[in-house]
Amino acid sequence: MPVMNPMDAARDVLKRYFGHDQFRTLQEEIISESLAGKDVFALLPTGGGKSLCYQLPALLGKGITVVISPLIALMKDQVDGLEANGIHATYLNSSLNKTEARKRYAKLFAGEYTILYVAPERLMLSGFLDDLKKWNVTRFAVDEAHCISEWGHDFRPEYRQLSNLRRLFPDLPFMALTATATDRVRSDILTQLRLKNPKSFVASFNRPNLAYRIENKQAVFQQILRFIQSKPFESGIVYCYSRKATETLADRLRQNGIEALAYHAGMTPLKRAENQDAFIRDEVKVICATVAFGMGIDKPNVRYVIHQDIPKNIEGYYQETGRAGRDGLPADCILYFSAGDVAKQLQFIADKSNAQERDVAKQQLRQMVHYSESSECRRRVLLGYFSETWTQPNCGNCDNCQNPKETFDGTLPAQKFMSCIFRVRQGSGFSVGINHIVDVLLGSRNEKVIKWGHDQLSTYDIGQEYRRPEWQIIGRELIRKGYINQNAENHSVLELTPKGKSALREREPIELTRPSVPKERAQRIRPPATGGIDCNEELFAILRTLRKELASEQGVPPYIIFSDVTLREMARDYPTNEDQLSDISGVGMKKLEQYGETFIDAIEEYLDAHPEAGLHYNA
Ligand code: ADP
Ligand code: ZN
């Protein structure tokens, strides 16, 4: 047989084992570098396809690839997924009993596996490193590599052991992979792992298939319910601020006929694992969770992530929304925003005892509020936060790009609002909150207005051209633009900043976003660029049910059998023989052999009942 160039061989393996025709961004470069025996650092977003970067090289050549991963809960699913593709893999972690572990050790000594997953704790067990030396290891992959850095948010002290590994295996190629790394964490990874002249591959953090949307929060349960009801067959996560809220929401959803479960750190580990499992196995559609949920969720077909409350910071928001749409198909990210929530959060922050923590928390919340209230492209703001520049004028897949907000010359209302703050302060010697300012502008006769004599101010009742929610939106935009400061230390009272004072004095023109009080937003039209696959939805539903049955029989999550992408392509192309089926993305040799007939039968049965459906394809 002629010797194949390594990358031709890699492409061949990509199709044969994984069933894919193309590499995703940077996968090919990363694999090629590692195959050449070099150390590699890869920073790819969630869903970027990091696993393939170390799984594929493992299949070329002899020996075993050792993957270090902190996510014990995920190892079994990953190994199941590999086995389903005909790749011999195993894992070692604390969940195994002695007999099972011994069996695996024996096979490791016999060289029967291509890939081994281990938890970092394992490296500290006596004798383990010696055993490793006997297993013909050809490559190490460190997944979630940011865990090695104490500057990162998931620091695992056990990861520090990895520097020993490098010392023991100075000549083997190492790969470090992560989806989260600031510059500081990145250089920490390189030094801690002692990577040798590593080539760094950093992908864009843009997730083109995620549609970002912020909605005004009003009767939020109804909003969430309506959204979920519009997606009866899809799974999603709803993030809530408190443990209590996750339970309440899950209860109410169930009362309304939606299969939902809660997840938070206050539950027993067993209950948590059960609920997470039910979600991964498509047995419940919705998980209502605190931020404790998500790390270690590989479920590729999460179709929406909802934030019922404002997240504490942009980084968390990006990570949480990032759990949607790993499979590359379109997914929705909705945040329900209310100024009241922000005030509540500020209150919590004000209660913190440590001044530095308070400042950081406030600053982070401010960025989150800015993101939420901005009329700019969500993607641009989000990526800007990660120092990435988004230059396209219109991303086509966020609310602000799809329904640009109108702006207008807001000098007059801004003047009214700011001079009302000024007059109150001048007349009473103290400052007040946003609601009171709006009361004065609208000529309210409420108790405080009368008691403090604010009905005597020159700005009393001068704001009839807008309603209350509109004035609030104007006020918040002036805060966002830096004309007004909302004093978190003092009951969120409003104060003019130097910029505000000068704008008021100089009658500086101010452009504002037209305050459109939330109406039902028109249904969005999905742009084609988001990776959606148009297919026969009826057949897709049939294939999905078939997949679920097979998965339950085998005790694996449905996505291990086939991804949604694969099923959708089947329901688009109607393959009725093995040749056609193997053209479908995600159908490798092993799956063809194992499931091919079953799925072909289902498709043929469908075509017999609906002969018109397949005409365009089989004609
Ligand atoms: P990450 O670990 O970077 O979040 P994964 O390795 O879990 O990403 O991959 C995300 C999804 O993308 C998986 O469902 C995987 O099967 C799929 N995938 C990876 N590489 C490819 C490829 N080249 N073509 C098609 N699908 C791919
Ligand atoms: Zn946009």
Side-chain angles (χ1 to χ4, degrees):
M1 218 171 85
V3 182
M4 247 198 232
N5 139 335
M7 284 321 283
D8 287 344
R11 252 181 300 277
D12 180 58
V13 165
L14 181 67
K15 184 66 200 167
R16 208 144 42 88
Y17 284 91
F18 299 93
H20 303 315
D21 292 315
Q22 278 166 351
F23 285 111
R24 288 208 177 143
T25 313
L26 294 182
Q27 279 179 333
E28 187 167 10
E29 291 83 344
I30 292 167
I31 290 169
S32 157
E33 195 75 4
S34 185
L35 285 176
K38 309 261 184 57
D39 284 356
V40 180
F41 171 76
L43 180 56
L44 303 185
T46 305
K50 284 184 283 299
S51 328
L52 192 96
C53 295
Y54 55 79
Q55 292 172 345
L56 195 148
L59 290 159
L60 294 163
K62 299 197 179 64
I64 188 165
T65 291
V66 175
V67 185
I68 290 100
S69 162
L71 306 171
I72 291 183
L74 264 185
M75 289 183 186
K76 184 175 182 311
D77 288 348
Q78 265 155 353
V79 165
D80 285 346
L82 287 165
E83 292 283 347
N85 279 329
I87 300 163
H88 293 303
T90 193
Y91 62 89
L92 292 174
N93 63 34
S94 51
S95 75
L96 302 174
N97 63 35
K98 276 225 169 72
T99 332
E100 181 59 32
R102 206 170 299 134
K103 247 184 6 207
R104 295 185 184 197
Y105 271 94
K107 288 193 181 178
L108 282 161
F109 278 105
E112 288 184 24
Y113 298 115
T114 309
I115 299 180
L116 165 69
Y117 283 86
V118 288
E121 295 84 16
R122 196 55 45 174
L123 303 174
M124 296 153 89
L125 295 188
S126 72
F128 186 77
L129 294 174
D130 293 332
D131 289 342
L132 264 186
K133 289 221 140 186
K134 296 172 196 146
W135 292 341
N136 191 18
V137 178
T138 46
R139 176 176 289 100
F140 284 98
V142 180
D143 209 358
E144 312 290 345
H146 59 281
C147 293
I148 206 168
S149 171
E150 41 190 345
W151 303 111
H153 54 93
D154 291 319
F155 176 53
R156 309 279 171 116
E158 315 85 71
Y159 258 59
R160 285 288 156 95
Q161 288 302 311
L162 293 175
S163 49
N164 289 335
L165 205 59
R166 172 88 266 186
R167 212 171 296 130
L168 277 169
F169 296 92
D171 300 324
L172 290 187
F174 272 59
M175 299 177 99
L177 309 106
T178 175
T180 36
T182 56
D183 286 343
R184 191 171 201 176
V185 171
R186 196 188 308 179
S187 62
D188 218 17
I189 294 172
L190 303 186
T191 41
Q192 294 285 340
L193 282 178
R194 297 160 199 273
L195 296 188
K196 290 184 299 189
N197 302 321
K199 191 136 177 204
S200 291
F201 296 92
V202 180
S204 164
F205 269 58
N206 179 32
R207 302 282 308 277
N209 59 320
L210 300 190
Y212 299 100
R213 198 154 100 220
I214 314 292
E215 304 215 338
N216 276 289
K217 182 168 172 176
Q218 294 175 317
V220 72
F221 177 72
Q222 289 307 323
Q223 291 175 302
I224 292 176
L225 181 65
R226 240 180 297 134
F227 178 82
I228 293 177
Q229 282 170 336
S230 75
K231 316 234 163 227
F233 302 110
E234 328 238 62
S235 329
I237 307 172
V238 186
Y239 281 105
C240 311
Y241 183 70
S242 69
R243 296 174 178 183
K244 182 87 187 27
T246 66
E247 309 245 1
T248 314
L249 180 63
D251 282 345
R252 289 185 75 185
L253 286 173
R254 277 198 304 274
Q255 284 158 16
N256 283 272
I258 288 169
E259 310 147 29
L261 288 173
Y263 185 105
H264 58 73
M267 297 160 86
T268 64
L270 181 68
K271 188 79 206 145
R272 263 194 327 234
E274 267 174 26
N275 289 2
Q276 174 172 320
D277 230 41
F279 179 64
I280 288 171
R281 285 163 203 268
D282 289 348
E283 280 149 19
V284 296
K285 295 278 170 250
V286 182
I287 200 107
C288 306
T290 60
V291 294
F293 181 80
M295 173 86 170
I297 301 299
D298 244 356
K299 188 175 164 59
N301 60 342
V302 174
R303 289 274 72 83
Y304 54 87
V305 168
I306 295 176
H307 281 89
Q308 179 176 255
D309 308 292
I310 190 166
K312 291 200 181 77
N313 54 58
I314 295 220
E315 190 162 351
Y317 170 79
Y318 177 83
Q319 293 297 338
E320 286 141 27
T321 52
R323 293 181 182 128
R326 271 176 179 241
D327 54 14
L329 295 175
D332 289 296
C333 305
I334 305 173
L335 162 62
Y336 291 105
F337 179 84
S338 99
D341 280 356
V342 178
K344 239 189 285 173
Q345 287 267 2
L346 284 169
Q347 204 55 57
F348 287 130
I349 293 172
D351 291 344
K352 283 183 196 274
S353 52
N354 179 318
Q356 200 194 343
E357 254 178 58
R358 261 198 319 262
D359 287 348
V360 172
K362 242 186 299 177
Q363 165 72 8
Q364 291 184 328
L365 183 64
R366 213 171 293 136
Q367 286 170 327
M368 196 59 226
V369 172
H370 169 78
Y371 167 80
S372 308
E373 293 204 315
S374 158
S375 46
E376 252 189 275
C377 171
R378 307 279 181 210
R379 221 166 281 280
R380 185 178 313 136
V381 180
L382 215 47
L383 293 174
Y385 178 83
F386 296 105
S387 316
E388 202 179 315
T389 320
W390 176 266
T391 48
Q392 243 166 275
N394 188 312
C395 83
N397 203 20
C398 80
D399 51 358
N400 285 338
C401 287
Q402 288 174 331
N403 302 304
K405 288 183 186 142
E406 233 181 290
T407 57
F408 74 113
D409 175 3
T411 313
L412 190 60
Q415 287 283 329
K416 288 183 178 181
F417 200 98
M418 293 194 291
S419 74
C420 193
I421 293 174
F422 182 76
R423 293 293 164 203
V424 165
R425 171 92 213 178
Q426 194 188 39
S428 302
F430 56 80
S431 298
V432 299
I434 190 167
N435 287 325
H436 189 85
I437 294 294
V438 175
D439 279 339
V440 175
L441 287 169
L442 288 175
S444 158
R445 305 209 50 82
N446 83 21
E447 201 192 315
K448 282 182 183 164
V449 172
I450 305 301
K451 184 172 78 189
W452 292 333
H454 291 166
D455 54 343
Q456 303 303 315
L457 297 176
S458 60
T459 55
Y460 182 73
D461 199 17
I462 57 167
Q464 291 303 334
E465 68 271 40
Y466 293 115
R467 288 172 297 153
R468 172 175 299 274
E470 293 166 334
W471 275 117
Q472 285 170 330
I473 290 171
I474 291 171
R476 286 204 303 275
E477 186 166 0
L478 291 170
I479 294 170
R480 216 164 56 242
K481 296 203 153 127
Y483 295 102
I484 301 170
N485 175 42
Q486 190 168 28
N487 191 335
E489 245 109 71
N490 182 16
H491 305 99
S492 302
V493 299
L494 304 189
E495 298 153 349
L496 294 181
T497 61
K499 176 176 170 182
K501 281 183 192 147
S502 120
L504 185 61
R505 206 172 334 116
E506 313 291 332
R507 301 203 122 255
E508 197 182 285
I510 294 178
E511 194 175 77
L512 292 177
T513 307
R514 190 164 301 284
S516 65
V517 177
K519 287 181 255 33
E520 211 33 50
R521 272 240 174 84
Q523 194 58 39
R524 291 169 316 117
I525 307 155
R526 236 191 248 293
T530 58
I533 298 174
D534 282 329
C535 71
N536 181 329
E537 295 292 333
E538 194 185 11
L539 178 55
F540 174 57
I542 292 171
L543 300 178
R544 191 169 48 205
T545 309
L546 179 59
R547 170 178 70 177
K548 177 106 180 283
E549 286 165 10
L550 292 170
S552 313
E553 263 169 41
Q554 297 172 23
V556 296
Y559 71 81
I560 299 273
I561 310 247
F562 282 132
S563 71
D564 283 14
V565 175
T566 304
L567 296 192
R568 283 192 169 274
E569 287 195 9
M570 287 186 198
R572 180 192 64 193
D573 298 347
Y574 306 96
T576 50
N577 61 44
E578 295 209 338
D579 240 20
Q580 293 169 353
L581 188 60
S582 65
D583 282 344
I584 302 282
S585 164
V587 184
M589 149 194 92
K590 176 81 190 274
K591 288 188 177 169
L592 187 65
E593 180 191 303
Q594 197 167 1
Y595 307 117
E597 208 178 307
T598 317
F599 280 82
I600 287 172
D601 286 352
I603 293 163
E604 280 191 323
E605 192 181 318
Y606 182 84
L607 287 176
D608 285 345
H610 307 85
E612 73 293 347
L615 280 184
H616 69 281
Y617 184 80
N618 286 332

